[in-house]
């Protein structure tokens, strides 16, 4: 019996545990430092917005020894044991680090009080507890400012705005979503946000939180009831560092998601494969599913992830496939400021290698399929994908066009009939599925002498 | 004038046949399922009568020339019985296999099962219904404890609020049924169609979702996710009438809309819209068909959609619930009376001692003499001619080499047999490979019952005399049984009465149904017309939520085969086309390859010009049909002609043993 121990109880951990559930040959222990069983973290903004109930977020946890409130502090590699904050030890045969990332606190004076706690107006947005606390605070607040214009920031801003709070957003870069999209797309999004009632301050840094409000370096002071910090995070690697595993930005893993100690794996936001540290759920789940298959004895190999980042916010349509701003290729672009859409495909050797879709997701189901599968497109296809779908207007039906498929009747035969009854009796048109009834009515009228 | 029913699909439209020598089809307005409406297949159903290709004498393959030659009935049946006996003597009882069909009447299906179990003593019997609705049957049994295509009359569609059709193109496959969609919409209801092709059925829908083939399951999980998130679950129903919700709920928690979008190609916005529609509706009806079911995860897909219906509290509610639109004429009855490898008449399981005892009693044999479970349809064919598999196969009502998946392989297995016997009306592609061909009557020339998609038992009545030299399947089965030392009835009504006794007390109990009642009542439902009002068929009376996960197609697309291939039917043809391709009035332009203009442009294909579709198993050359109604990453080929099933994948569903007809990886070149 192999003992698999997973450090962390976030989404990657839950996915891995689910992939191992019901398989003989091992026991699975999950060590989570939060007090909650694993939940769907990426839907926290949906809870805030009110489209999801907190209870519906809980993820499956079968056949697992789940320990909540169990913070791992040390890995004793020689003894193959994990030490917890309460000094107890958990032995392992296989250890998996799924420690996620740590939100970074922006350098704003005054957000942390002298006692080390956050100012009462200030909220982080990482955990379910954060979310529930903000949710409670939002009930009595009239206004909020969101610090950080990334994916999470946009989602939280929209959620609060949908709930009726006057919402503002502060982004230090020159446009929102700057890690994912270009300035044009960012401008389109900022315009959308303004239209939806959220003021956006780009190129502005919050420097101080005072009694008067959040002071920006452009001279504004935002007098908001709530300040939500969504300024991103960095891989949580302290445990791995202390255990002397190879760490660069994240814990370095190979094609089997092994760290420099082959008994220890790392997946999700804390891991670094090649130069890639992902920070999104889809690749974390891909890694977790693949590691589960590996631990179940299957022959698999991890070759890096194709990421699709999707904004989950009412009335803001954004999808970013891969890294469109840092990927080489030919750019096929379609921008329409009138309708507020900006779409861009980065194509290399006929394959979509990255894309930005803002404001118009009509073809997203097809574009992501092509991207995920590395479909080699034809010369006109990338362009065609960005054109509006055209439906040809109906023309006058030629006499040999089939009108009633059930009885096999052409337009000509129906035009030759004087009435609907005659058409029905002599041709049996309309007597099957009935779908041609209106067409037959029209044709009978056309054929009738004026 | 004779009232009867169409020879084709599971709707079994009522019709009147007039005339004696030449029959003419007339509407039968009083029959409730179709109210006189027919499609062109029905109107032209008499086209096979007197056809020059009708077989009117047994054929036996001449050893010297290798050609089929005419033979007398006694010669043919003696030959078959003798060879079967010799093969069984040498290799054991299971050396003989029997392959039936979902188009056979209840009486024939029953007699065929009895022939296998009693006269031949072989466990090796199955039928092409495995390739029809077996995934829905397996899911229905797991979820409800019973399997009946529709647990309510079809016309109930008209009174629901939201009808969700998953993988059904009923406007083309059973056109008169589409009238109910129009009436539903006139009544203010909404129609949802989920299909990789925008079919004529989708053209009549209010909401149309166009997923990648093989992803109906994650769409169902995504709906469950949103229904739960929005607190639209019928908590009281779930608590009092079901078990297992919590596990399914946790599985669904992992399928948020954007994840479903990435897997299925259906946008998160469209999924949300659908979730709102079904979440707010009073009455929701979910119907699946082959598009959702013919997959290696077909059973799980149906279970996921049943879970949607259960979470909304629909099954058992009036004008709501879940159902399967069966495909073949007697898909329902065909599986209830003993053609299935694991079942005895009355939908009894063959490994249940009480069931064996009851049926053995009716048959006048020892329970211990009945064989056990045999191989499922594809596994049976795959084993033919191998060391452990059957050496002889009797085929009734099936054109295997056209309709089986991975058809080239199946044809090779058939060729490796010592003896292939086929009973058919015409020299079908499968009959052409046989050692002995037995000419049998067709629909208007014989009497028998069918059970339509609603579980309504209907009566097809003889309207004309068969051609000289032709015998009914019941005669042929009894003739073989007699030569093997058993006396079988040949009169349909007598066989039906025996079937009633054999099914008495089973899940599908026909013992109260008679020909007279069927005539008087326009068909008789087995059980009740509307099931589950008070309880489900499990011992505790509750329905089961069964947690399922998405595994994806057995053969994902890759660089060499970058497209999804899916298959289906066209309006003017039926199944392997053995009948409809020979009806002069039905257009038969042969197979075609449906592809999107973007794909056509990519590969340089033009409408009407040939393209070649290839998969790991074979290739097909056919004209391109360039349409904007199909997903650009998918191609479609109808399966009525030889070739389509040389392409399809024989990966099987672990529970229903359904092959994955509806998706495999393909390449297309111009």
């Amino acid at each position: 019996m192999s003992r698999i121990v997973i450090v962390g109880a976030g989404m990657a951990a839950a996915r891995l545990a689910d992939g191992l559930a019901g398989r003989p040959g091992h026991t699975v222990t999950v060590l989570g430092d939060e007090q909650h069983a694993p939940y769907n973290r990426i839907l926290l903004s949906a809870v805030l917005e009110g489209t999801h109930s907190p209870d519906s977020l809980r993820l499956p946890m079968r056949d697992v020894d789940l320990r909540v409130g169990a913070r791992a502090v040390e890995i004793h590699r020689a003894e193959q044991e994990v030490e917890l904050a309460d000094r107890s030890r958990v032995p392992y045969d296989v250890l998996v680090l799924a420690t996620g990332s740590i939100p970074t606190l922006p350098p704003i004076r005054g957000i942390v009080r002298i006692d080390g706690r956050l100012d009462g107006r200030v909220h982080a947005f990482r955990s379910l507890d954060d979310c529930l606390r903000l949710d409670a605070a939002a009930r009595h607040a009239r206004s909020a400012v969101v610090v950080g214009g990334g994916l999470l920031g946009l989602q939280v801003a929209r959620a609060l705005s949908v709930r009726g709070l006057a919402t503002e957003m502060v982004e230090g870069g020159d446009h929102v979503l700057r890690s994912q999209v270009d300035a044009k797309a960012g401008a389109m999004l900022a315009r959308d946000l303004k239209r939806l009632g959220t003021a956006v301050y780009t190129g502005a840094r919050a420097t101080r939180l005072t009694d008067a409000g959040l002071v920006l370096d452009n001279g504004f002071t935002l007098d908001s009831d709530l300040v939500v910090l969504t300024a991103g995070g960095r891989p949580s690697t302290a445990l791995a560092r202390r255990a002397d595993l190879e760490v660069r930005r994240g814990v370095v893993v190979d094609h089997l998601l092994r760290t420099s100690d082959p008994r220890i794996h790392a997946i999700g936001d804390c891991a670094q494969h090649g130069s890639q540290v992902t920070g999104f759920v889809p690749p974390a789940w891909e890694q977790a599913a693949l590691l589960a298959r590996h631990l179940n004895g299957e022959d698999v190999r991890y070759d890096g992830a194709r990421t699709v980042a999707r904004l989950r916010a009412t009335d803001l349509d954004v999808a970013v496939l891969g890294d469109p701003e840092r990927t080489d290729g030919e750019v096929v672009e379609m921008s329409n400021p009138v309708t507020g859409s900006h779409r861009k495909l980065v194509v290399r050797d006929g394959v979509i290698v990255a894309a930005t879709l803002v404001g118009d997701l009509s073809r997203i189901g097809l574009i992501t399929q092509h991207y995920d599968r590395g479909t080699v497109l034809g010369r006109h296809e990338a362009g065609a994908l960005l054109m509006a779908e055209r439906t040809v207007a109906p023309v006058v039906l030629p006499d040999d066009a089939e009108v009633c498929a059930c009885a096999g009747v052409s337009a000509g035969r129906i035009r030759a009939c004087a009435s609907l009854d005659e058409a029905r009796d002599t041709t049996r048109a309309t007597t099957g599925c009935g779908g041609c009834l209106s067409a037959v009515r029209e044709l009978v009228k056309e054929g009738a002498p004026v | 004038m004779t009232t009867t029913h169409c020879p084709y699909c599971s709707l079994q439209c009522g019709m009147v046949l007039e005339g004696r020598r030449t029959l003419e089809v007339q509407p039968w307005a009083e029959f409730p399922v179709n109210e006189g409406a027919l499609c062109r297949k029905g109107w032209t159903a008499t086209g096979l009568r007197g056809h020059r290709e009708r077989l009117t004498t047994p054929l036996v393959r001449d050893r010297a020339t290798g050609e089929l030659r005419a033979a007398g009935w006694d010669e043919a049946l003696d030959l078959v019985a003798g060879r079967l006996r010799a093969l069984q003597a040498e290799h054991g009882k299971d050396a003989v296999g029997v392959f039936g069909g979902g188009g056979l009447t209840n009486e024939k299906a029953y007699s065929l099962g009895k022939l296998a179990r009693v006269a031949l003593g072989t466990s090796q019997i199955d039928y092409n219904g495995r390739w029809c609705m077996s995934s829905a049957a397996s899911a229905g049994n797991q979820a409800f404890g019973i399997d009946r295509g529709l647990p309510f009359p079809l016309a109930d569609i008209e009174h629901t609020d939201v009808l969700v059709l998953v993988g059904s193109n009923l406007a083309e496959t059973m056109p008169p049924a589409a009238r109910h969609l129009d009436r539903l919409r006139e009544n203010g209801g909404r129609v949802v169609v989920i299909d990789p092709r925008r079919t004529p059925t989708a053209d009549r829908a209010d909401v149309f979702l166009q997923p990648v083939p093989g992803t109906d399951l994650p769409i169902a999980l995504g709906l469950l996710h949103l229904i739960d998130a929005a607190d639209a679950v019928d908590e009281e129903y779930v608590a009092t009438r079901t078990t297992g919700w919590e596990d399914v709920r946790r599985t669904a928690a992992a399928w948020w809309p954007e994840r479903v979008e990435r897997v299925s190609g259906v946008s998160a916005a469209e999924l949300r819209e659908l979730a709102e529609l079904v979440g707010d509706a009073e009455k929701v009806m979910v119907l699946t068909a082959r598009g959702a079911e013919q997959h290696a995860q077909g059973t799980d897909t149906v279970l996921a959609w049943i879970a949607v219906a259960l979470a909304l509290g629909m099954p058992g509610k009036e004008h709501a619930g879940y159902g399967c639109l069966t495909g073949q004429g007697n898909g329902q009855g065909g599986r209830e009376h003993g053609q299935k490898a694991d079942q005895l008449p009355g939908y009894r399981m063959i490994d249940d001692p009480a069931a064996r005892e009851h049926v053995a009693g009716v048959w006048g044999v020892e329970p211990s003499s009945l064989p056990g479970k045999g191989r499922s349809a594809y596994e049976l064919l795959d084993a033919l001619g191998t060391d452990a598999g059957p050496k002889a196969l009797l085929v009734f009502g099936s054109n295997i080499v056209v309709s089986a998946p991975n058809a080239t392989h199946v044809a090779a297995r058939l060729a490796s047999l010592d003896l292939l016997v086929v009973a058919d009306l015409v020299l079908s592609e499968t009959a052409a490979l046989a050692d002995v061909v037995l000419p049998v009557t067709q629909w208007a020339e014989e009497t028998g019952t069918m059970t339509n998609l609603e579980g309504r038992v209907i009566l097809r009545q003889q309207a004309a005399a068969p051609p000289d030299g032709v015998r009914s399947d019941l005669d042929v089965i009894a003739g073989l049984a007699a030569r093997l030392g058993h006396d079988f009835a040949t009169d349909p009504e007598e066989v039906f009465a025996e079937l009633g006794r054999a099914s008495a007390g089973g899940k599908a109990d026909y013992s109260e149904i008679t020909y007279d009642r069927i005539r008087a009542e326009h068909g008789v439902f087995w059980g009740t017309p509307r099931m589950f009002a008070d309880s489900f068929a499990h011992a505790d009376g509750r329905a089961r939520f069964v947690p399922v996960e998405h595994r994806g197609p057995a053969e994902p697309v890759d660089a060499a085969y970058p497209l999804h291939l899916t298959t289906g039917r066209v309006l003017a043809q039926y199944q392997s086309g053995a009948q409809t391709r020979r009806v002069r009035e039905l257009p038969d332009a042969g197979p075609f390859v449906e592809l999107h203009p973007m794909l056509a442009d990519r590969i340089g294909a033009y409408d009407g010009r040939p393209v070649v579709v290839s998969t790991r198993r074979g290739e097909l050359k056919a004209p391109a049909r360039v349409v904007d109604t199909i997903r650009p990453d998918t191609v479609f080929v109808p399966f009525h002609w030889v070739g389509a099933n040389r392409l399809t994948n024989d990966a099987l569903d672990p529970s229903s043993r359904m092959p994955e007809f509806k998706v495999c990886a393909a390449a297309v070149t111009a």
Side-chain angles (χ1 to χ4, degrees):
Chain A
M1 201 54 109
S2 165
R3 294 162 302 184
I4 301 173
V5 174
I6 307 171
V7 179
M11 293 198 67
R15 182 82 182 131
L16 173 61
D18 198 49
L20 295 169
R23 296 300 193 101
H26 44 235
T27 61
V28 180
T29 305
V30 173
L31 307 172
D33 54 5
E34 286 183 46
Q35 290 296 338
H36 299 281
Y39 54 84
N40 200 329
R41 194 185 301 280
I42 64 167
L43 295 175
L44 289 177
S45 60
V47 171
L48 187 63
E49 188 171 325
T51 58
H52 277 60
S53 63
D55 193 36
S56 69
L57 263 50
R58 204 145 58 76
L59 290 167
M61 268 283 125
R62 291 167 290 160
D63 308 328
V64 172
D65 177 13
L66 169 68
R67 305 194 194 166
V68 296
R71 193 162 63 85
V73 293
E74 210 75 57
I75 303 169
H76 301 281
R77 287 168 54 189
E79 294 95 330
Q80 291 181 226
E81 288 176 340
V82 180
E83 185 179 324
L84 303 183
D86 65 3
R87 297 297 156 215
S88 66
R89 292 188 174 205
V90 181
Y92 66 83
D93 298 304
V94 176
L95 183 68
V96 181
L97 300 177
T99 49
S101 64
I102 302 168
T104 39
L105 279 188
I108 304 172
R109 269 188 294 147
I111 59 172
V112 182
R113 296 188 310 210
I114 294 168
D115 63 5
R117 302 173 64 164
L118 290 176
D119 180 281
R121 287 166 291 176
V122 178
H123 291 258
F125 198 80
R126 170 74 189 162
S127 66
L128 181 55
D129 286 338
D130 292 340
C131 174
L132 296 176
R133 195 174 143 251
L134 178 57
D135 179 58
R139 285 165 214 266
H140 310 290
R142 292 180 318 277
S143 61
V145 54
V146 175
V147 180
L151 276 170
L152 186 61
L154 286 170
Q155 285 176 193
V156 170
R158 272 307 288 150
L160 292 170
S161 171
V162 166
R163 288 179 60 154
L165 277 74
T167 308
E168 296 167 299
M169 171 179 279
V170 182
E171 163 58 45
D174 63 359
H175 63 273
V176 296
L177 223 53
R178 72 191 150 104
S179 323
Q180 277 88 24
V181 307
D182 61 16
K184 248 190 221 169
M188 213 78 85
L189 273 168
R191 209 185 63 163
D192 273 344
L193 277 169
K194 274 174 206 149
R195 180 173 53 81
L196 293 165
T198 297
V200 180
Y201 307 94
T202 52
R205 282 173 203 287
T207 55
R208 266 180 309 143
L209 181 63
T210 67
D211 290 342
L214 190 65
V215 181
L216 310 188
D217 63 358
N218 63 4
F220 282 54
T221 297
L222 309 179
D223 173 20
S224 303
D225 299 341
L226 303 173
V227 178
V228 189
L229 307 177
T230 64
R234 56 189 164 78
S236 167
T237 55
L239 199 59
R241 264 181 219 284
R242 272 204 302 283
D244 258 348
L245 298 173
E246 189 189 348
V247 175
R248 279 180 240 156
R249 274 164 66 215
V251 184
V252 176
V253 294
D254 65 6
H255 65 281
L256 289 173
L257 302 161
R258 286 178 304 205
T259 66
S260 50
D261 177 341
R263 291 178 186 284
I264 305 178
H265 298 258
I267 55 173
D269 291 1
C270 72
Q272 175 174 356
H273 177 262
S275 61
Q276 206 176 26
V277 177
T278 60
F280 293 113
V281 169
W285 274 31
E286 225 174 276
Q287 293 173 358
L290 185 119
L291 180 57
R293 292 173 59 195
H294 169 62
L295 295 176
N296 286 327
E298 285 181 57
D299 184 19
V300 289
R301 186 190 164 85
Y302 184 71
D303 288 318
R306 289 178 177 272
T307 62
V308 175
R310 278 286 265 119
L311 190 68
R312 272 164 298 278
T314 306
D315 299 328
L316 278 188
D317 294 322
V318 181
V320 182
L321 286 62
D323 192 353
E325 300 315 300
R326 277 163 289 273
T327 302
D328 292 333
E330 292 162 313
V331 174
V332 182
E333 204 172 35
M334 166 82 78
S335 208
N336 185 345
V338 178
T339 59
S341 75
H342 176 75
R343 294 173 299 156
K344 155 163 133 180
L345 305 178
V346 183
V347 180
R348 203 163 58 214
D349 301 326
V351 176
I352 297 174
V353 289
T356 303
L357 305 172
V358 171
D360 178 354
L361 299 188
S362 56
R363 279 262 174 71
I364 185 168
L366 185 58
I367 291 170
T368 49
Q369 289 286 318
H370 285 332
Y371 167 73
D372 278 338
R373 301 181 188 288
T375 311
V376 182
L377 303 179
R379 276 189 62 213
H380 308 114
E381 214 170 338
L385 280 169
L386 298 185
M387 302 296 282
E389 276 177 84
R390 233 178 294 209
T391 39
V392 182
V395 289
V396 176
L397 286 173
D399 274 352
D400 61 354
E402 190 174 82
V403 173
C404 171
C406 292
V409 185
S410 66
R413 280 178 66 198
I414 292 174
R415 285 197 180 103
C417 297
S419 68
L420 184 60
D421 285 345
E422 186 188 334
R424 183 161 43 214
D425 294 344
T426 60
T427 70
R428 286 180 174 147
T430 74
T431 60
C433 71
C436 61
L437 187 60
S438 59
V440 171
R441 269 203 193 106
E442 289 303 310
L443 286 169
V444 167
K445 248 189 256 167
E446 255 179 53
V450 182
Chain B
M1 183 195 110
T2 312
T3 56
T4 190
H5 298 268
C6 175
Y8 304 116
C9 82
S10 66
L11 208 54
Q12 287 298 294
C13 291
M15 56 167 66
V16 169
L17 292 179
E18 280 179 355
R20 285 208 66 82
R21 292 188 63 84
T22 50
L23 294 177
E24 199 190 331
V25 177
Q26 292 294 340
W28 178 15
E30 294 75 30
F31 186 70
V33 177
N34 59 306
E35 297 172 333
L38 293 172
C39 76
R40 64 204 296 181
K41 295 193 292 289
W43 289 121
T44 59
T46 61
L48 268 184
R49 292 255 315 137
H51 196 277
R52 61 189 170 80
E53 288 186 48
R54 267 305 284 281
L55 297 173
T56 53
T57 173
L59 302 173
V60 171
R61 195 166 297 280
D62 190 286
R63 290 210 167 188
T65 65
E67 301 283 313
L68 289 169
R69 62 165 173 82
W73 272 101
D74 282 340
E75 183 196 349
L77 292 177
D78 287 348
L79 173 73
V80 172
R83 298 283 302 277
L84 294 179
R85 253 200 308 262
L87 286 166
Q88 286 191 317
E90 193 183 341
H91 302 286
K93 296 284 192 197
D94 283 359
V96 176
V98 178
F99 201 90
L104 298 177
T105 62
N106 289 318
E107 292 79 358
K108 294 179 191 177
Y110 168 79
S111 284
L112 198 59
K114 186 176 167 187
L115 175 76
R117 273 65 179 248
V118 175
L120 291 164
T122 179
S123 68
Q124 301 297 301
I125 175 169
D126 214 65
Y127 78 128
N128 65 20
R130 279 280 179 192
W131 305 335
C132 183
M133 68 307 109
S134 63
S135 292
S138 170
N141 279 322
Q142 290 180 56
F144 304 127
I146 198 163
D147 149 39
R148 193 172 87 187
L150 294 180
F152 39 69
L154 185 66
D156 277 12
I157 287 178
E158 295 172 11
H159 307 289
T160 194
D161 293 332
V162 178
L163 173 69
V164 184
L165 292 169
V166 193
S168 164
N169 181 15
L170 58 77
E172 282 193 288
T173 57
M174 44 176 73
R179 298 175 155 252
H180 296 300
L181 302 190
D182 296 341
R183 284 194 207 147
L184 165 63
R185 295 178 71 192
E186 281 162 25
N187 292 341
R190 309 282 290 274
V191 176
V192 180
V193 169
I194 303 176
D195 198 309
R197 299 162 65 219
R198 197 177 72 234
T199 61
T201 312
D203 285 339
R204 295 159 104 121
D206 302 281
V207 178
F208 170 54
L209 267 48
Q210 191 165 25
V212 174
T215 61
D216 294 324
L217 193 163
I219 289 175
L221 292 179
L223 271 185
L224 280 167
H225 176 101
L226 289 170
I227 290 166
D228 180 37
D231 284 327
V233 174
D234 186 338
E235 299 289 350
E236 194 199 329
Y237 177 97
V238 167
T240 57
R241 300 214 50 191
T242 71
T243 63
W245 163 237
E246 205 52 30
D247 279 349
V248 166
R249 183 178 192 209
R250 292 303 152 225
T251 312
W255 286 96
W256 62 94
E258 290 79 8
R259 185 176 177 219
V260 176
E261 168 185 284
R262 191 161 172 197
V263 172
S264 70
V266 169
S267 78
E270 291 174 295
L271 195 68
R272 287 200 175 90
E273 218 175 290
L274 177 56
E276 245 173 71
L277 183 65
V278 298
D280 292 344
E282 182 79 15
K283 293 175 287 184
V284 177
M285 194 181 271
V286 176
L287 301 180
T288 63
R290 304 304 81 71
E293 299 162 12
Q294 287 181 326
H295 292 279
Q297 56 174 9
T299 303
D300 286 357
T301 302
V302 175
L303 283 168
W305 281 99
I306 289 177
V308 171
L310 287 172
L312 294 168
M314 297 300 158
K317 194 187 237 187
E318 200 177 29
H319 306 138
Y322 164 80
C324 150
L325 294 164
T326 306
Q328 295 192 82
N330 199 23
Q332 184 70 41
R335 66 182 182 271
E336 292 167 351
H337 299 297
Q339 285 190 91
K340 220 172 167 183
D342 54 354
Q343 286 178 4
L344 291 171
Y347 219 107
R348 291 184 152 91
M349 300 314 290
I350 202 165
D351 50 6
D352 168 11
R356 294 170 67 87
E357 196 178 325
H358 173 85
V359 175
V362 174
W363 286 346
V365 298
E366 282 299 313
S368 60
S369 72
L370 298 178
K373 265 187 198 180
R375 293 180 173 93
S376 77
Y378 186 78
E379 290 162 303
L380 175 61
L381 298 179
D382 191 35
L384 296 178
T386 63
D387 286 346
K391 310 290 186 279
L393 187 71
L394 309 179
V395 180
F396 287 80
S398 188
N399 188 7
I400 295 167
V401 293
V402 180
S403 60
N406 199 3
T408 307
H409 172 69
V410 167
R413 299 297 355 129
L414 288 171
S416 72
L417 286 168
D418 289 336
L419 176 69
L420 175 63
V421 181
V422 175
D424 212 327
L425 339 168
V426 292
L427 199 66
S428 70
E429 286 80 358
T430 307
L433 302 175
D435 301 294
V436 180
V437 182
L438 303 171
V440 289
T441 48
Q442 66 146 320
W443 126 102
E445 302 159 358
E446 59 186 21
T447 292
T449 61
M450 310 279 280
T451 307
N452 81 349
L453 77 173
E454 311 165 285
R456 187 195 302 257
V457 184
I458 53 94
L459 184 63
R460 286 185 184 171
Q461 308 196 88
Q462 184 176 354
D468 287 342
V470 165
R471 292 189 185 178
S472 79
D473 301 76
L474 291 178
D475 272 326
V476 174
I477 292 167
L480 284 174
R483 284 165 176 79
L484 297 164
H486 295 268
D487 183 22
F488 280 22
T490 59
D491 174 61
E493 193 158 6
E494 200 180 317
V495 176
F496 188 75
E498 184 184 318
L499 177 165
R501 290 195 298 282
S503 71
K507 279 187 171 163
D509 183 339
Y510 281 42
S511 59
E512 302 288 311
I513 305 174
T514 63
Y515 278 20
D516 286 339
R517 269 192 70 195
I518 298 173
R519 286 192 194 98
E521 298 170 33
H522 289 152
V524 178
F525 287 88
W526 65 258
T528 59
R530 291 183 181 82
M531 304 166 89
F532 312 144
D534 303 313
S535 82
F536 295 95
H538 285 298
D540 59 4
R542 287 168 178 254
R544 304 276 182 275
F545 279 98
V546 182
V548 292
E549 252 307 337
H550 178 59
R551 296 188 298 276
E555 185 181 66
V557 297
D558 57 21
Y561 297 99
L563 299 164
H564 308 282
L565 169 70
T566 191
T567 61
R569 283 156 59 172
V570 300
L571 193 150
Q573 299 293 328
Y574 180 66
Q575 305 299 72
S576 82
Q579 296 167 86
T580 47
R581 280 187 275 128
R582 291 178 168 84
V583 174
R584 198 170 40 85
E585 298 93 327
L586 293 176
D588 175 7
F592 55 88
V593 180
E594 213 176 81
L595 69 168
H596 191 276
M598 277 203 269
L599 177 58
D601 182 69
R602 188 195 301 168
I603 64 168
Y606 295 92
D607 190 61
R609 299 250 291 269
V611 291
V612 176
V613 185
S614 51
T615 70
R616 287 187 173 79
R617 292 157 295 279
E619 60 176 50
L620 167 78
K621 188 174 183 176
R625 198 174 276 187
V626 180
V627 295
D628 63 3
T629 48
I630 189 167
R631 282 185 65 89
D633 54 11
T634 301
V635 292
F636 167 85
V637 176
F639 62 64
H640 309 289
W641 293 270
V642 174
N645 275 320
R646 289 188 187 138
L647 304 169
T648 50
N649 192 356
D650 54 7
L652 301 182
D653 182 288
S655 154
S656 66
R657 317 310 283 168
M658 167 73 84
E660 188 141 89
F661 286 109
K662 282 292 186 275
V663 61
C664 67
V668 182
T669 50

